[in-house]
Amino acid sequence: EKNNCYEAMATGRAKLYYDPRQQRIVFIIRKKDNGIVGAVGRGLSSNVYPKWYMYGDKSYPFVCGNFDKAILVEDCASACAVSGLMTGVALLGTSLSDEYIPILKQYKSILVALDRDATSKAFDISQKLCYYVKSQVKIIDEDLKYFTTDEIRSILNG
């Protein structure tokens, strides 16, 4: 709830589990046909290292939602938080893997909204994507996972 993922989980847009051994919330990475590809775990305290842990490989992004427009964010929690407005797609970092491009080409448009410290990377990603799909950058001051759906709507429209 603190990172605005609960609604995405409760409505079935995201599958989340708890890994008691590693003390992580686990975001299941699924393809559009619901086939499980892997997972990403987020440590639940500052004592858990590394903060993010990959279960499987990083060949497929975490996708949350089912809209024809997507918003590209850094992490799974942010993808869940925006998934009530647009399909949230988590890069699982700040770099766009070439393996993600075929997946991203299916969207009508993509909004790249990385954290402020990755703004230059956001523009690079948007420039790379523009050959395949309409894309633009939204400069944000704080990570979108910290906002409710209504607050995110206001940020994106402002």
Side-chain angles (χ1 to χ4, degrees):
E1 286 183 32
K2 178 181 166 186
N3 289 304
N4 294 298
C5 298
Y6 184 80
E7 181 187 336
M9 182 189 71
T11 59
R13 294 190 304 259
K15 287 202 180 283
L16 281 70
Y17 294 95
Y18 176 63
D19 177 349
R21 188 165 166 253
Q22 291 195 30
Q23 297 182 348
R24 297 178 184 282
I25 189 74
V26 179
F27 298 83
I28 302 300
I29 299 174
R30 302 179 291 179
K31 290 187 175 184
K32 211 168 193 174
D33 64 3
N34 281 329
I36 296 175
V37 185
V40 180
R42 167 69 160 85
L44 293 175
S45 76
S46 59
N47 299 334
V48 178
Y49 184 81
K51 183 184 310 197
W52 290 96
Y53 179 80
M54 194 72 200
Y55 299 84
D57 64 41
K58 289 176 77 171
S59 64
Y60 202 89
F62 175 79
V63 179
C64 188
N66 194 24
F67 292 90
D68 63 353
K69 294 180 181 179
I71 182 164
L72 209 53
V73 294
E74 291 181 31
D75 60 60
C76 299
S78 295
C80 287
V82 302
S83 67
L85 301 171
M86 301 170 81
T87 300
V89 179
L91 288 173
L92 311 174
T94 58
S95 300
L96 176 62
S97 167
D98 288 339
E99 294 173 301
Y100 292 3
I101 291 174
I103 298 145
L104 297 172
K105 284 170 39 174
Q106 70 181 328
Y107 295 101
K108 186 176 179 179
S109 65
I110 296 177
L111 184 63
V112 183
L114 305 183
D115 297 353
R116 181 165 286 286
D117 63 339
T119 299
S120 64
K121 286 186 176 187
F123 281 103
D124 293 342
I125 289 169
S126 180
Q127 186 175 24
K128 187 174 183 178
L129 285 174
C130 76
Y131 294 102
Y132 309 101
V133 61
K134 180 181 172 186
S135 66
Q136 66 181 48
V137 173
K138 177 66 178 178
I139 298 171
I140 56 172
D141 290 320
E142 287 190 66
D143 195 319
L144 294 173
K145 69 181 164 234
Y146 300 123
F147 299 98
T148 65
T149 301
D150 287 338
E151 291 169 332
I152 293 168
R153 182 181 290 112
S154 177
I155 291 167
L156 296 179
N157 292 330

